[in-house]
Amino acid sequence: MEAEVQGQRYKDVYDGMKERNVKDSTDKLAAAHVTIAGSGGLGSNIAIALTRIGVGHLKLIDFDFVELSNLNRQQFKLSQVDMPKVVAMKQNLQEFNPFIDIQTAQVKVTHDNVKDLFESADIICEAFDNPAAKAMLLDAASEFYPDKPLVMGTGMAGIHSSNTITTKHPRPNLYIAGDGTTKGDEGLMAPRVMICAGHEANMITRLILGQTEI
Protein backbone atom coordinates (compact mmCIF):
# COMPACT_ATOMS: atom_id res chain seq x y z
CA MET A 1 0.00 0.00 0.00
CA GLU A 2 2.80 2.43 0.88
CA ALA A 3 4.45 1.82 -2.50
CA GLU A 4 1.13 2.52 -4.24
CA VAL A 5 0.70 5.80 -2.35
CA GLN A 6 4.24 6.86 -3.22
CA GLY A 7 3.68 5.89 -6.84
CA GLN A 8 0.55 8.03 -6.97
CA ARG A 9 2.42 10.95 -5.46
CA TYR A 10 5.09 10.67 -8.14
CA LYS A 11 2.42 10.59 -10.82
CA ASP A 12 0.78 13.68 -9.34
CA VAL A 13 4.15 15.49 -9.41
CA TYR A 14 4.65 14.59 -13.07
CA ASP A 15 1.10 15.52 -14.06
CA GLY A 16 1.37 18.82 -12.20
CA MET A 17 4.62 19.63 -13.97
CA LYS A 18 3.09 18.96 -17.38
CA GLU A 19 0.04 21.03 -16.50
CA ARG A 20 1.97 24.09 -15.32
CA ASN A 21 4.85 24.13 -17.84
CA VAL A 22 4.65 26.23 -20.99
CA LYS A 23 2.47 24.48 -23.57
CA ASP A 24 4.24 21.84 -25.69
CA SER A 25 7.52 22.22 -23.79
CA THR A 26 7.57 19.08 -21.66
CA ASP A 27 8.78 16.56 -24.24
CA LYS A 28 11.61 18.81 -25.46
CA LEU A 29 12.71 19.48 -21.88
CA ALA A 30 12.60 15.78 -21.02
CA ALA A 31 14.87 14.93 -23.96
CA ALA A 32 17.52 17.55 -23.16
CA HIS A 33 20.98 16.88 -21.72
CA VAL A 34 22.51 19.71 -19.69
CA THR A 35 25.88 19.51 -17.92
CA ILE A 36 26.44 21.97 -15.07
CA ALA A 37 30.02 22.72 -14.08
CA GLY A 38 29.88 23.77 -10.43
CA SER A 39 27.31 22.96 -7.73
CA GLY A 40 27.70 26.04 -5.56
CA GLY A 41 25.68 29.25 -5.45
CA LEU A 42 24.99 29.37 -9.18
CA GLY A 43 25.02 25.67 -9.95
CA SER A 44 22.75 24.52 -7.13
CA ASN A 45 20.10 27.11 -7.99
CA ILE A 46 20.34 26.40 -11.73
CA ALA A 47 20.04 22.65 -11.13
CA ILE A 48 16.94 23.10 -8.99
CA ALA A 49 15.23 25.30 -11.59
CA LEU A 50 15.96 22.83 -14.41
CA THR A 51 14.89 19.89 -12.27
CA ARG A 52 11.58 21.48 -11.36
CA ILE A 53 10.64 22.07 -15.02
CA GLY A 54 11.64 18.54 -15.99
CA VAL A 55 14.91 18.79 -17.92
CA GLY A 56 15.38 15.07 -18.38
CA HIS A 57 19.15 14.57 -18.16
CA LEU A 58 21.40 16.55 -15.84
CA LYS A 59 25.08 16.04 -15.13
CA LEU A 60 26.49 17.74 -12.05
CA ILE A 61 30.24 18.34 -11.76
CA ASP A 62 32.01 19.59 -8.63
CA PHE A 63 35.01 18.42 -6.62
CA ASP A 64 34.09 20.22 -3.39
CA PHE A 65 32.26 19.43 -0.14
CA VAL A 66 29.42 21.33 1.54
CA GLU A 67 30.67 23.81 4.17
CA LEU A 68 28.79 25.87 6.74
CA SER A 69 29.78 29.06 4.91
CA ASN A 70 27.98 27.82 1.79
CA LEU A 71 24.56 27.87 3.42
CA ASN A 72 24.03 31.62 3.00
CA ARG A 73 23.46 31.19 -0.75
CA GLN A 74 23.82 27.56 -1.86
CA GLN A 75 20.89 25.16 -1.90
CA PHE A 76 22.09 22.70 0.72
CA LYS A 77 20.89 21.84 4.23
CA LEU A 78 22.67 21.88 7.56
CA SER A 79 22.42 18.10 7.65
CA GLN A 80 24.45 17.92 4.42
CA VAL A 81 27.55 19.74 5.70
CA ASP A 82 30.70 17.72 4.88
CA MET A 83 28.93 15.78 2.10
CA PRO A 84 30.27 15.99 -1.46
CA LYS A 85 28.30 18.75 -3.13
CA VAL A 86 27.25 16.64 -6.10
CA VAL A 87 25.97 13.87 -3.81
CA ALA A 88 24.01 16.29 -1.64
CA MET A 89 22.63 18.11 -4.68
CA LYS A 90 21.48 14.91 -6.34
CA GLN A 91 19.76 13.92 -3.10
CA ASN A 92 17.86 17.22 -3.04
CA LEU A 93 16.96 17.17 -6.72
CA GLN A 94 15.52 13.67 -6.52
CA GLU A 95 13.10 14.90 -3.86
CA PHE A 96 11.90 17.66 -6.18
CA ASN A 97 11.54 15.48 -9.27
CA PRO A 98 12.14 11.72 -9.25
CA PHE A 99 11.58 11.35 -13.00
CA ILE A 100 14.82 12.79 -14.34
CA ASP A 101 18.22 11.19 -14.89
CA ILE A 102 20.94 12.76 -12.75
CA GLN A 103 24.59 11.88 -13.25
CA THR A 104 27.39 13.18 -11.02
CA ALA A 105 31.15 13.62 -11.32
CA GLN A 106 33.09 14.54 -8.20
CA VAL A 107 36.10 15.91 -10.01
CA LYS A 108 37.82 19.21 -10.72
CA VAL A 109 37.27 20.42 -14.27
CA THR A 110 40.52 20.94 -16.16
CA HIS A 111 41.36 21.60 -19.78
CA ASP A 112 42.42 17.96 -20.10
CA ASN A 113 39.08 16.45 -18.99
CA VAL A 114 36.61 18.88 -20.59
CA LYS A 115 36.28 16.78 -23.73
CA ASP A 116 35.17 13.71 -21.77
CA LEU A 117 33.09 15.46 -19.11
CA PHE A 118 30.92 17.41 -21.56
CA GLU A 119 30.63 14.92 -24.39
CA SER A 120 26.97 14.05 -23.71
CA ALA A 121 25.83 17.64 -23.14
CA ASP A 122 23.46 19.42 -25.50
CA ILE A 123 24.14 22.59 -23.49
CA ILE A 124 27.14 23.38 -21.27
CA CYS A 125 26.48 25.48 -18.17
CA GLU A 126 29.34 27.23 -16.35
CA ALA A 127 28.67 27.86 -12.66
CA PHE A 128 32.10 28.37 -11.12
CA ASP A 129 33.08 31.02 -8.57
CA ASN A 130 36.67 31.22 -9.77
CA PRO A 131 37.43 33.60 -12.69
CA ALA A 132 40.37 31.48 -13.85
CA ALA A 133 38.17 28.39 -13.96
CA LYS A 134 35.56 30.30 -15.97
CA ALA A 135 38.17 31.37 -18.50
CA MET A 136 39.57 27.85 -18.73
CA LEU A 137 36.15 26.33 -19.47
CA LEU A 138 35.38 28.99 -22.05
CA ASP A 139 38.65 28.28 -23.85
CA ALA A 140 38.30 24.50 -23.65
CA ALA A 141 34.64 24.41 -24.66
CA SER A 142 35.40 26.71 -27.59
CA GLU A 143 38.17 24.33 -28.64
CA PHE A 144 36.44 20.98 -28.20
CA TYR A 145 32.74 21.85 -28.60
CA PRO A 146 32.37 25.08 -30.59
CA ASP A 147 28.89 24.09 -31.76
CA LYS A 148 27.48 23.48 -28.28
CA PRO A 149 25.85 26.42 -26.52
CA LEU A 150 27.77 27.59 -23.44
CA VAL A 151 25.87 29.54 -20.79
CA MET A 152 28.05 31.38 -18.24
CA GLY A 153 27.68 33.69 -15.26
CA THR A 154 29.88 36.60 -14.23
CA GLY A 155 29.14 39.47 -11.85
CA MET A 156 26.56 38.81 -9.12
CA ALA A 157 28.27 40.02 -5.95
CA GLY A 158 27.18 42.65 -3.46
CA ILE A 159 23.75 44.21 -2.96
CA HIS A 160 23.55 46.28 -6.14
CA SER A 161 20.36 46.69 -8.13
CA SER A 162 18.99 43.46 -9.51
CA ASN A 163 18.31 45.35 -12.75
CA THR A 164 22.04 45.43 -13.53
CA ILE A 165 22.04 41.66 -14.06
CA THR A 166 21.27 40.83 -17.68
CA THR A 167 21.96 38.12 -20.24
CA LYS A 168 24.24 38.94 -23.16
CA HIS A 169 24.95 37.04 -26.38
CA PRO A 170 28.44 38.25 -27.41
CA ARG A 171 29.05 35.62 -30.06
CA PRO A 172 27.41 32.48 -31.51
CA ASN A 173 26.77 29.78 -28.91
CA LEU A 174 27.96 31.94 -26.00
CA TYR A 175 25.57 33.45 -23.45
CA ILE A 176 26.77 35.36 -20.37
CA ALA A 177 24.53 36.30 -17.44
CA GLY A 178 25.44 38.80 -14.73
CA ASP A 179 26.44 42.44 -14.36
CA GLY A 180 29.91 41.71 -15.75
CA THR A 181 31.71 43.90 -13.22
CA THR A 182 31.23 42.99 -9.55
CA LYS A 183 33.69 40.60 -7.95
CA GLY A 184 33.30 38.05 -5.18
CA ASP A 185 35.36 40.07 -2.71
CA GLU A 186 32.30 42.32 -2.31
CA GLY A 187 30.55 39.38 -0.71
CA LEU A 188 28.05 36.93 -2.17
CA MET A 189 24.49 36.67 -0.90
CA ALA A 190 21.53 34.59 -1.95
CA PRO A 191 19.33 37.22 -3.68
CA ARG A 192 21.72 38.40 -6.40
CA VAL A 193 23.29 34.98 -6.85
CA MET A 194 19.82 33.52 -7.36
CA ILE A 195 18.93 36.26 -9.86
CA CYS A 196 22.01 35.45 -11.94
CA ALA A 197 21.32 31.72 -11.65
CA GLY A 198 17.76 32.40 -12.81
CA HIS A 199 19.09 34.17 -15.89
CA GLU A 200 21.31 31.20 -16.70
CA ALA A 201 18.53 28.67 -16.11
CA ASN A 202 16.09 30.69 -18.21
CA MET A 203 18.55 30.98 -21.09
CA ILE A 204 19.17 27.23 -20.96
CA THR A 205 15.42 26.65 -21.06
CA ARG A 206 15.03 28.97 -24.03
CA LEU A 207 17.83 27.18 -25.88
CA ILE A 208 16.22 23.80 -25.26
CA LEU A 209 12.99 25.16 -26.70
CA GLY A 210 14.72 26.53 -29.79
CA GLN A 211 14.98 30.21 -28.83
CA THR A 212 18.59 31.11 -29.48
CA GLU A 213 18.34 34.91 -29.29
CA ILE A 214 18.18 36.90 -26.07
Side-chain angles (χ1 to χ4, degrees):
M1 177 62 73
E2 185 175 341
E4 291 179 7
V5 171
Q6 187 74 349
Q8 183 60 49
R9 285 177 179 168
Y10 285 171
K11 182 178 184 301
D12 290 345
V13 168
Y14 184 68
D15 290 345
M17 180 181 64
K18 290 184 68 175
E19 178 184 347
R20 299 300 300 177
N21 273 354
V22 170
K23 184 178 179 182
D24 298 326
S25 65
T26 299
D27 289 344
K28 291 178 181 178
L29 293 170
H33 290 69
V34 178
T35 297
I36 304 173
S39 290
L42 288 174
S44 62
N45 282 287
I46 293 166
I48 286 175
L50 299 182
T51 294
R52 289 192 183 279
I53 63 173
V55 172
H57 307 273
L58 293 180
K59 185 173 184 178
L60 313 177
I61 306 172
D62 201 304
F63 68 92
D64 211 353
F65 294 79
V66 180
E67 300 177 4
L68 282 170
S69 62
N70 300 150
L71 301 184
N72 85 316
R73 68 197 184 282
Q74 301 181 18
Q75 295 297 330
F76 300 108
K77 296 173 279 190
L78 186 59
S79 61
Q80 294 175 320
V81 169
D82 295 329
M83 290 178 62
K85 285 186 177 180
V86 292
V87 174
M89 196 71 253
K90 181 175 180 177
Q91 183 182 87
N92 294 342
L93 298 180
Q94 288 177 322
E95 291 189 40
F96 299 139
N97 186 346
F99 297 102
I100 69 172
D101 168 53
I102 303 171
Q103 303 296 319
T104 63
Q106 189 182 350
V107 63
K108 186 172 184 177
V109 179
T110 68
H111 185 278
D112 292 338
N113 61 21
V114 162
K115 189 172 184 181
D116 290 335
L117 287 173
F118 297 91
E119 184 177 12
S120 64
D122 299 322
I123 298 169
I124 298 171
C125 175
E126 178 276 318
F128 293 138
D129 58 6
N130 183 305
K134 292 174 182 289
M136 178 278 298
L137 182 56
L138 174 59
D139 289 344
S142 300
E143 176 183 347
F144 297 120
Y145 297 114
D147 296 326
K148 293 188 180 188
L150 171 61
V151 179
M152 306 184 68
T154 180
M156 68 228 56
I159 53 169
H160 307 284
S161 170
S162 58
N163 295 333
T164 61
I165 293 178
T166 60
T167 301
K168 297 180 174 62
H169 184 24
R171 72 186 198 205
N173 288 324
L174 177 61
Y175 302 84
I176 303 177
D179 62 34
T181 58
T182 57
K183 295 179 170 57
D185 57 9
E186 289 192 44
L188 293 163
M189 300 203 300
R192 282 191 107 233
V193 172
M194 292 175 71
I195 292 166
C196 187
H199 271 260
E200 286 196 68
N202 191 59
M203 193 67 243
I204 291 166
T205 304
R206 287 168 55 80
L207 290 168
I208 293 170
L209 300 179
Q211 300 186 33
T212 59
E213 299 300 322
I214 60 170

